[in-house]
């Protein structure tokens, strides 16, 4: 829930962040949305009234709405309110209606924030570790601080950007958590963490987009890790694609997915060093690594299992394969095959009806014979794009099927089946 870009990048304006958008003056045809005085005006009675009136507004009709509202309110305030109302509508998908329409956002705060269920899960883990206080460095708009406070933890939330820090403070107040969250606008590298745990979400975006080198994070990953080590207990949020060789031996690495989408990875300190874990939400369903060797390759059985992305990122396909008494269809492909159907939250099961060498003509004939009109195409280890295949086979009929474009023992293969 952090605005991941809000933290520590240098800027030509002291105390501000180059990529926080202070030079972005307009959203569509509306006025400034990243202006601190206007943001403060939105928190007045007039501003709150405007935002309440715009809760369910249609963005396609904003020009007419703005013209009407500007008869009674200042032009810049109306523009700021329209921009904030649009951000709230976008934020519903991540924060839910009850919170989103009371909170305040920046464009980056909505774009880069974590889903509420992920922050709530992390807050529960902090609670299970016995953390009564957490210093939340690079707090962004305050989403993680809110989840921690709701879990009964006192929070010191720190962000370098003045508007971002003010947004976090406004959100703590709006959700009646101001007595549990203290917000400071400061450089996190100059803040002494409190007596409790530390959570740190370094900025992983810069002026040119996503940052892949962890030492180019802001602050660098090495600094973030040392800050948590000094506290003894805590976590550092990292990109899910981080190479495993960069994970410290004294950290637990956890990959988290929500609704099937991998959202983040976290390095935990003060837990179980060396553990690799995949956690799936809702649930949570958590799979710790057991240090297993790669599964053997075997012939395709009756069932094909597609592991969750968090399982793949955590390199725990072998653990799932062992639990399913299965093997791989190819040593380089993360599909598991087995003869029996076993329930597991860590993979989606499909019953395979046909195994064909890659041949579009044969596939088209098979689908026509089966009267398949609702066709789902999945690929792993194939250069063919699903939409390209759909255009060529032209599925028609009343039945449904799933086609996997993949490799089996090195050979391009099409597996046809249906959800088990």
């Amino acid at each position: 829930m952090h605005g991941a870009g809000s933290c520590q990048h240098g800027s030509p304006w002291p105390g501000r962040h180059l990529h926080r958008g202070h030079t972005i003056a307009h959203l569509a045809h509306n006025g400034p949305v990243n202006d601190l005085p206007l943001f403060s005006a939105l928190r007045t009675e007039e501003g709150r009234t405007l935002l309440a009136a715009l809760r369910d507004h249609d963005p396609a009709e904003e020009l007419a709405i703005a013209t009407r509202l500007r008869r009674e309110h200042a032009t810049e305030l109306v523009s700021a309110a329209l921009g904030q109302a649009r951000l709230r509508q976008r934020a519903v998908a991540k924060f839910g209606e009850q919170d989103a329409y009371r909170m305040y956002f920046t464009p980056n705060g909505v774009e880069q924030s974590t889903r509420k269920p992920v922050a709530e899960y992390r807050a529960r883990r902090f609670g299970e570790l016995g953390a009564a206080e957490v210093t939340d460095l690079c707090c962004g708009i305050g989403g993680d601080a809110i989840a921690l406070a709701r879990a009964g933890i006192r929070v010191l939330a720190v962000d370098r950007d003045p508007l971002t820090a003010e947004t976090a403070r406004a959100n703590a107040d709006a959700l009646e958590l101001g007595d549990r969250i203290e917000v400071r606008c400061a450089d996190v590298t100059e803040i002494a963490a409190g007596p409790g745990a530390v959570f740190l979400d370094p900025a992983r975006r810069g002026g040119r987009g996503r940052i892949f080198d962890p030492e180019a994070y802001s602050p660098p990953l090495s600094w973030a890790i040392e800050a948590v080590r000094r506290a003894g207990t805590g976590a550092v949020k990292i990109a899910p694609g981080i190479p495993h060789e960069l994970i410290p031996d004294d950290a637990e690495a956890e990959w988290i997915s929500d609704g099937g989408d991998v959202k983040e990875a976290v390095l935990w300190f003060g837990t179980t060093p060396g553990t690799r874990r995949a956690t799936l939400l809702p649930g949570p369903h958590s799979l710790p690594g057991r240090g297993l060797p790669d599964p053997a390759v075997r012939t395709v059985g009756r069932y094909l299992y597609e592991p969750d992305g968090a399982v793949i990122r955590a390199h725990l396909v072998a653990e799932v394969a062992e639990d399913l008494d299965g093997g791989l269809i190819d040593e380089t492909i993360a599909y598991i095959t087995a003869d029996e159907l076993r329930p597991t939250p860590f993979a989606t099961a499909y019953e395979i009806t046909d195994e064909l060498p890659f041949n579009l003509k044969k596939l088209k004939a098979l689908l026509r014979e089966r009267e398949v009109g609702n066709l789902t195409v999945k690929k792993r280890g194939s250069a063919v794009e699903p939409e390209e295949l759909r255009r060529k086979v032209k599925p028609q009929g009343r039945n449904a099927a799933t086609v996997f474009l993949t490799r089996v023992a090195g050979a391009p293969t099409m597996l046809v089946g249906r959800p088990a």
Side-chain angles (χ1 to χ4, degrees), residues 373-390:
N374 183 2
L375 180 65
T376 300
V377 181
K378 292 177 172 286
K379 58 172 271 184
R380 186 165 290 167
S382 172
V384 178
E385 293 300 326
E387 285 306 311
E388 177 187 355
L389 182 138
R390 287 180 57 84

Side-chain angles (χ1 to χ4, degrees), residues 3 5 21 30 60 79 85 102 110 128 142 157 174 197 221 232 235 242-243 277 288 292 297 331 346:
N30 294 318
S79 297
R102 291 189 289 165
V110 171
E128 291 166 358
L221 180 59
I242 188 171
R277 183 184 304 275
L292 299 179
V297 176
E331 63 180 6
F346 301 109

